[in-house]
């Protein structure tokens, strides 16, 4: 760091969530220097609980980043998932249909491992970075200004990576005349709890029921994550643990409900469901990655995985630029990332639409959902399409 709050780096990264950390670590592996500016503290970032299903593409990136040891030790390999409607349940066999499993490992743990790797490598991460502003992103010399501890800071860079999530500053820095935003807000949320109980099943259960959707997920052999669809007007404090467990039991097949082990919740929260994409994902030397550019509803756990494919394309593009002087990856970043993003959006939207109750749903609409679930149950081609999307489209 130079005196007077002046710094220079190759890639300035806004946001110390999984996207920013993974990008920084991968760039480091290629000898490319970066600085991360994070608005909050590390403890805050690690306090967030998010989905925990990793595609092989992300696992490969974490291996490349040197952050996959614990994941390989503690992650649980899932060769399939269960889908239920009423008391009927069937399995989508990922291994048989695609040859590929997914790994269940919490996003918080991924983030923790990435922080450990960045710290071990002496990576620059500035926490409590307030009022980050992007200047001259459409020139060859972009600059970030921000404040830490009441001091004005300035960071010059070759490129800026906007990895600052949905509420960040990066997307808003692209002129509105250039930005096109696409959004769908769903008329319900997910009430989730974490409990120190063994999972009801060794695989995830995505449950459609006349009372609404439910999901039985897990973090490890004694830590379960469950969700139930709820009205957006509900608040977590409206739901006692007992009320939650009772409602969950009503939405999953009776034989699973009988086996469900309940206990006190150690976390309880409600998340709204949203699909969102902004185009383009590059403006001059500013690139958007992850939640800064797109949001998916959690059905199918594509959030982190889609962030990972953005990071993959961007770190490849930057590597080619620095190593070979080839700007084509940078110029093509937005189109390449968006092509995969839209497919993950489609899958998450489809899986959400298939499994949830909608307030305005007619009896005909409900019959269509049941017919589609039964088609999926019986048809290998439909299962293969589902499985290919769930384990992750190639990148
Ligand atoms: N300045 C600096 N940092 C910021 C700013 C800002 N103006 N705004 C937000 N941030 C930080 C946030 O505090 C957060 O730590 O950027 C980080 C963004 O992290 P995430 O929201 O986790 O987004 P991302 O890293 O893209 O992760 C992808 O996968 O499962 C999904 O939504 C889930 O977080 C997940 C995502
Ligand atoms: C989770 O474990 O939190 C989870 C798993 C799968 C999903 C969504 C969330 O589709």
């Amino acid at each position: 760091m130079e005196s007077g709050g002046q710094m220079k780096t190759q890639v300035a990264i806004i946001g110390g969530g999984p996207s920013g950390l993974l990008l920084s670590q991968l760039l480091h592996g290629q000898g490319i220097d970066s600085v991360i500016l994070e608005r909050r503290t590390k403890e805050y970032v690690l306090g967030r609980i998010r989905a925990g299903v990793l595609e092989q593409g992300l696992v490969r990136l974490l291996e490349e980043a040197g952050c996959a040891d614990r994941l390989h030790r503690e992650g649980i390999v899932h060769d399939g998932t269960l889908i239920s409607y009423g008391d009927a349940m069937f399995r989508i066999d990922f291994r048989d249909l695609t040859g590929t499993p997914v790994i269940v490992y919490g996003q918080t743990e991924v983030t923790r491992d990435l922080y450990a790797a960045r710290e071990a490598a002496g990576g620059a991460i500035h926490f409590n970075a307030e009022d980050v502003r992007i200047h001259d992103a459409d020139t060859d010399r972009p600059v970030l200004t921000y404040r830490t501890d009441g001091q004005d800071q300035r960071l010059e860079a070759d490129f800026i990576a906007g990895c600052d999530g949905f509420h960040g500053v990066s997307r808003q820095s692209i002129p509105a005349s250039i930005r096109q935003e696409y959004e769908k807000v769903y008329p319900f949320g997910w009430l989730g709890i974490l409990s120190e109980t063994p999972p009801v099943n060794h695989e995830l259960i995505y449950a459609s029921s006349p009372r609404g959707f439910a999901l039985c997920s897990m973090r490890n052999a004694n830590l379960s994550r469950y969700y139930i669809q709820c009205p957006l007007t509900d608040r977590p404090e409206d739901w006692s643990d007992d009320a939650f467990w009772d409602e969950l039991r009503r939405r999953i097949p009776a034989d699973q409900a009988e086996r469900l082990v309940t206990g006190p919740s150690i976390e309880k929260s409600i998340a709204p469901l949203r699909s969102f994409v902004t185009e383009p994902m590059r403006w001059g030397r500013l690139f958007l990655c992850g939640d800064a550019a797109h949001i998916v509803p959690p059905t199918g756990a594509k959030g982190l995985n889609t962030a990972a494919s953005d990071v993959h394309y961007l770190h490849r593009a930057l590597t080619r630029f620095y190593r070979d002087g080839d700007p084509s990856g940078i110029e093509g970043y937005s189109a390449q990332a968006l092509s995969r993003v839209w497919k993950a959006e489609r899958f998450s939207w489809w899986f959400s639409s298939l499994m949830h109750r909608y307030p305005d749903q007619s009896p005909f609409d409900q019959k269509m959902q049941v017919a589609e679930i039964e088609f999926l149950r019986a048809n290998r081609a439909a299962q293969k399409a589902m499985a290919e999307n769930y384990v992750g489209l190639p990148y």
Side-chain angles (χ1 to χ4, degrees):
M1 174 159 175
E2 295 169 25
S3 60
Q6 279 272 23
M7 287 185 293
K8 239 180 128 115
T9 188
Q10 289 175 299
V11 183
I13 299 174
I14 310 175
S19 299
L21 292 163
L22 180 59
L23 178 65
S24 178
Q25 185 65 8
L26 288 168
L27 291 174
H28 172 73
Q30 300 294 328
I32 301 166
D33 194 47
S34 64
V35 172
I36 296 178
L37 303 182
E38 165 56 51
R39 179 164 60 180
R40 317 298 291 250
T41 62
K42 183 166 108 180
E43 292 64 41
Y44 178 90
V45 175
L46 291 176
R48 292 186 289 223
I49 298 179
R50 277 155 175 189
V53 179
L54 313 190
E55 297 175 357
Q56 286 305 317
L58 172 52
V59 173
R60 269 195 309 275
L61 285 176
L62 290 166
E63 285 168 354
E64 191 178 334
C67 300
D69 290 353
R70 193 160 70 97
L71 159 71
H72 285 310
R73 277 199 313 275
E74 296 175 18
I76 317 168
V77 176
H78 280 217
D79 288 328
T81 195
L82 298 161
I83 296 190
S84 74
Y85 56 113
D87 284 331
M89 186 157 83
F90 62 96
R91 182 164 184 263
I92 305 286
D93 188 329
F94 303 144
R95 183 82 75 169
D96 175 43
L97 291 157
T98 70
T100 310
V102 292
I103 308 292
V104 169
Y105 186 71
Q107 181 173 325
T108 311
E109 303 314 311
V110 172
T111 312
R112 200 185 302 282
D113 295 344
L114 285 165
Y115 267 117
R118 281 286 58 215
E119 285 161 4
I125 308 177
H126 300 287
F127 293 101
N128 299 311
E130 290 167 45
D131 198 20
V132 174
R133 292 185 198 203
I134 301 172
H135 311 271
D136 306 327
D138 56 341
T139 73
D140 286 351
R141 302 262 16 112
V143 174
L144 293 182
T145 57
Y146 61 103
R147 253 192 344 270
T148 44
D149 296 326
Q151 298 276 321
D152 287 334
Q153 311 283 355
R154 183 182 158 89
L155 176 60
E156 291 179 11
D158 298 333
F159 298 100
I160 296 171
C163 302
D164 48 352
F166 185 65
H167 301 287
V169 67
S170 301
R171 184 177 66 253
Q172 311 293 342
S173 304
I174 300 180
S177 58
I178 291 170
R179 250 188 299 142
Q180 181 87 45
E181 298 187 341
Y182 302 86
E183 183 173 49
K184 181 180 175 67
V185 175
Y186 298 80
F188 40 75
W190 278 17
L191 169 64
I193 72 163
L194 197 61
S195 79
E196 285 167 326
T197 51
V200 66
N201 197 292
H202 67 281
E203 291 184 340
L204 272 63
I205 305 175
Y206 289 90
S208 168
S209 94
R211 300 179 66 90
F213 172 77
L215 170 60
C216 306
S217 181
M218 68 198 71
R219 292 292 174 267
N220 60 47
N222 197 42
L223 191 57
S224 296
R225 181 77 170 147
Y226 294 102
Y227 298 95
I228 54 175
Q229 172 187 352
C230 69
L232 279 168
T233 44
D234 282 12
R235 293 168 309 163
E237 53 273 28
D238 300 336
W239 284 87
S240 68
D241 288 355
D242 283 345
F244 181 93
W245 294 121
D246 285 345
E247 187 58 36
L248 178 65
R249 276 193 212 94
R250 293 190 192 107
R251 295 185 187 192
I252 62 179
D255 59 335
Q256 301 297 311
E258 275 165 29
R259 291 171 32 186
L260 180 72
V261 179
T262 63
S265 65
I266 55 173
E267 195 266 353
K268 194 184 282 160
S269 56
I270 294 182
L273 273 72
R274 180 200 304 269
S275 299
F276 175 90
V277 181
T278 190
E279 293 189 351
M281 285 173 59
R282 175 180 73 94
W283 182 56
R285 287 183 165 230
L286 167 65
F287 305 90
L288 304 181
C289 277
D291 280 17
H294 41 76
I295 295 289
V296 287
T299 331
K302 288 294 165 224
L304 177 62
N305 292 299
T306 312
S309 58
D310 294 350
V311 168
H312 164 84
Y313 294 129
L314 183 55
H315 112 272
R316 286 289 159 100
L318 290 169
T319 300
R320 244 188 289 159
F321 177 85
Y322 283 111
R323 193 188 54 201
D324 311 328
D326 173 5
S328 62
I330 283 169
E331 284 155 11
Y333 168 72
S334 178
Q336 194 172 31
L338 281 166
S339 161
R340 191 172 187 279
V341 163
W342 276 114
K343 292 177 192 117
E345 290 284 343
R346 189 209 64 83
F347 175 67
S348 306
W349 160 82
W350 168 79
F351 200 20
S352 300
S353 307
L354 183 64
M355 301 300 288
H356 289 79
R357 289 287 79 72
Y358 286 71
D360 61 354
Q361 207 169 17
S362 69
F364 179 84
D365 296 335
Q366 289 184 30
K367 286 285 191 190
M368 289 299 96
Q369 281 184 329
V370 173
E372 188 162 358
I373 294 173
E374 289 187 338
F375 180 67
L376 183 61
R377 175 182 198 159
N379 187 283
R380 188 172 166 90
Q383 289 190 4
K384 195 164 191 310
M386 193 280 181
E388 284 180 8
N389 280 280
Y390 195 95
V391 304
L393 298 176
Y395 60 89

